[in-house]
Every structure is written in structure tokens, then in C-alpha cells.
Amino acid sequence: MEKKLKVLSYKTCTPSELPETDKSLVELAKEASEKSYAPYSNFKVGCAVLLEDRSIYAGSNQENASSPCGTCAERTTLYYANAEHPESAIKRMVIVAQRDGKFTDYPVSPCGLCRQAMLESENRYNRRIHLTLYGEKECLIFGTTKSLLPFQFDAQDLLSNDEDSEE
Ligand code: THU
């Protein structure tokens, strides 16, 4: 039986068309990307988040000579914000990237690990994260990070679902 899944719903716009909140987050994410530690890839990523309590956090990727030890900008920022404000959900997130010192024209997609971390945050607070992937020429806007992670693994999978799958 062939089944189809409609998961990816997003909008595109130019940087100047972004809502003002996102424009401010883009500036903070850009500043954060300057603080990235990326001597191995020279790929500097910046992320900024707005929380429900209106606090704002920004972070960058942090690399390591032992590469799996490093972490992406998105997880640096998410965990930083969650550690400081565990009661407050993340409302908005913006991601920017510099390739060899220049902000990318088109957005960079968050890696699978970061998508999983965003999913956990949405589930933890039962609140969607409005995600903007920034590019100098085009931005992509997602109403929920779940659009980026079909067939996601979440807490439900830790429970037995054998009966459901037999239905
Ligand atoms: N990187 C991020 O910070 N976010 C992503 O979503 C993709 C990749 C970082 C990890 C590593 O420091 C560099 O970009 C190259 O992979």
C-alpha cells in the first residue's frame, strides 16, 4: 500500500520582508556567529531564540579536534536558554550561517540532531517554535519545527504501541 505524508509546509521571503522581531533575532544570530569556534570547518553558525517570557538568547557552533564532541549553534542556544529559563517555552528561533566569512545567500538547514532537539523542546512545552532560516537573498519560515522531521521519534515511541499498529 502506498501512503503519502504531507509534512513540509513553509513560506519564503526576503530579509527585508521578515517581521521586525525576526530582523532583531537575525542581527543577534549574526553577532553570535562571529563568536563561533569553528577552526576546522570555517563554517560559522549563529542562532537566536525568543522565549515566552521575552528573554532572548543567542549562541554559536563550538567545534572540537575530536569532531563528535563539538556542538551546533542551535543546540548550544536551545540548551543555554532552557538551562537558564526552564519554565519558559521557546517561541521563535532564527538560524544564520557564514561560509568562509560570508553570510550565506540561501538558508542552511538544521542538522538531524538539532531537529530532534527542537522537537523535544516543542513537546516539552507543548508549544510550536516559529523557525526562520536566514539567507541574504531568501529566508524560509516554518510554523513548527516538526515540519522538518517526518516520522519523528518522541516520548510516545518509548511506550508500547504494538496494539495500535495492529489496528
Ligand atoms: N552546524 C551547526 O552549527 N548547525 C547546523 O545545523 C549544521 C552544522 C555546524 C557544526 C559544525 O561546527 C559546522 O557547522 C560544520 O558542520
Side-chain angles (χ1 to χ4, degrees):
M1 185 195 300
E2 187 182 319
K3 292 188 177 181
K4 287 195 176 142
L5 191 64
K6 187 170 172 270
V7 280
L8 206 62
S9 165
Y10 65 99
K11 292 180 187 158
T12 64
C13 72
T14 61
S16 61
E17 291 167 339
L18 284 172
E20 291 307 311
T21 320
D22 282 348
K23 284 184 187 166
S24 317
L25 291 175
V26 165
E27 286 316 306
L28 291 170
K30 283 185 168 183
E31 278 172 29
S33 74
E34 301 292 348
K35 299 179 195 163
S36 153
Y37 177 62
Y40 303 102
S41 69
N42 207 20
F43 192 74
K44 296 183 168 193
V45 186
C47 177
V49 291
L50 170 68
L51 276 61
E52 233 163 19
D53 66 6
R54 299 190 180 189
S55 54
I56 290 177
Y57 285 85
S60 58
N61 52 329
Q62 301 293 316
E63 296 187 348
N64 193 287
S66 168
S67 52
C69 195
T71 185
C72 294
E74 297 88 327
R75 276 172 295 141
T76 305
T77 311
L78 263 179
Y79 295 150
Y80 179 24
N82 287 159
E84 288 285 320
H85 292 249
E87 289 85 27
S88 195
I90 288 166
K91 267 170 69 167
R92 295 179 98 85
M93 174 183 273
V94 168
I95 302 167
V96 309
Q98 299 185 35
R99 197 179 285 115
D100 296 325
K102 186 183 172 299
F103 287 107
T104 59
D105 283 341
Y106 296 95
V108 161
S109 242
C111 80
L113 284 176
C114 291
R115 293 175 196 210
Q116 187 70 30
M118 293 172 198
L119 169 71
E120 187 73 25
S121 174
E122 289 200 356
N123 289 342
R124 174 177 177 178
Y125 298 103
N126 194 23
R127 192 191 206 295
R128 292 177 181 177
I129 299 175
H130 182 281
L131 174 67
T132 299
L133 306 181
Y134 176 86
E136 298 273 85
K137 291 194 173 148
E138 184 183 60
C139 303
L140 306 185
I141 300 170
F142 299 82
T144 165
T145 64
K146 286 185 180 170
S147 301
L148 291 170
L149 200 59
F151 290 102
Q152 52 215 226
F153 178 87
D154 64 19
Q156 289 302 315
D157 292 301
L158 296 173
L159 308 169
S160 168
N161 62 1
D162 294 347
E163 281 173 31
D164 294 346
S165 58
E166 278 166 20
E167 278 172 13

